[in-house]
């Protein structure tokens, strides 16, 4: 199991940018596929982006493709989500999640979760 702590959320105007970070501790981070998910009030948790342990395989939700970039630094045990051209509909609590080896795009496939960080985009 890895412990995950997100940071970098906040309030930003539409069109602005934020960079989320997720710091991991515990088991070997470099063996873990990592994902970002988000949950808006009254909605189900949804997939945002995911990256394989090597960084060679990356997936994005269609709603964020071209605006968000996921990356990781295994030396720092950290995964990032760069969010550009933010829209009010991106407002949600953002969670990072980890699972061993195989990268997935469904929340149920992940074992370890952070506490979440709030992102609010004003119009």
């Amino acid at each position: 199991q890895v412990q995950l702590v997100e940071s970098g959320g906040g309030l930003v105007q539409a069109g602005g940018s934020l960079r989320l970070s997720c710091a991991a501790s515990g088991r070997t981070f470099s063996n873990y596929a990592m994902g970002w998910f988000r949950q808006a009030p009254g909605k189900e948790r949804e997939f945002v982006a995911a990256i394989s342990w090597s960084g060679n395989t990356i997936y994005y939700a269609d709603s964020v493709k071209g605006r968000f970039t996921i990356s990781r630094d295994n030396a720092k045990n950290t995964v990032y989500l760069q969010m550009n051209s933010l829209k009010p509909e991106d407002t949600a609590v953002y969670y990072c999640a980890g699972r061993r080896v195989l990268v997935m795009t469904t929340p149920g496939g992940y074992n370890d979760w952070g506490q979440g960080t709030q992102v609010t985009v004003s119009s």
Side-chain angles (χ1 to χ4, degrees), residues 54-112:
S54 66
N56 290 336
T57 300
I58 290 176
Y59 299 108
Y60 293 103
D62 288 343
S63 59
V64 307
K65 203 170 293 183
R67 300 188 297 122
F68 291 11
T69 302
I70 188 172
S71 62
R72 66 189 296 160
D73 185 338
N74 287 343
K76 295 183 178 180
N77 285 3
T78 302
V79 64
Y80 305 97
L81 185 68
Q82 178 66 44
M83 305 186 295
N84 298 329
S85 302
L86 283 161
K87 305 175 181 180
E89 51 263 44
D90 294 319
T91 295
V93 177
Y94 283 71
Y95 299 89
C96 71
R99 71 181 311 278
R100 290 191 65 186
V101 184
L102 186 63
V103 61
M104 297 182 69
T105 61
T106 54
Y110 286 80
N111 310 110
D112 303 310

Side-chain angles (χ1 to χ4, degrees), residues 7-47:
S7 61
L11 173 64
V12 64
Q13 288 188 332
S17 297
L18 283 174
R19 189 195 196 199
L20 304 184
S21 299
C22 175
S25 61
R27 285 179 175 263
T28 306
F29 176 73
S30 59
N31 290 338
Y32 269 63
M34 299 296 296
W36 285 98
F37 295 82
R38 66 187 182 187
Q39 188 166 18
K43 295 188 177 181
E44 294 186 351
R45 191 167 298 188
E46 66 173 3
F47 168 72

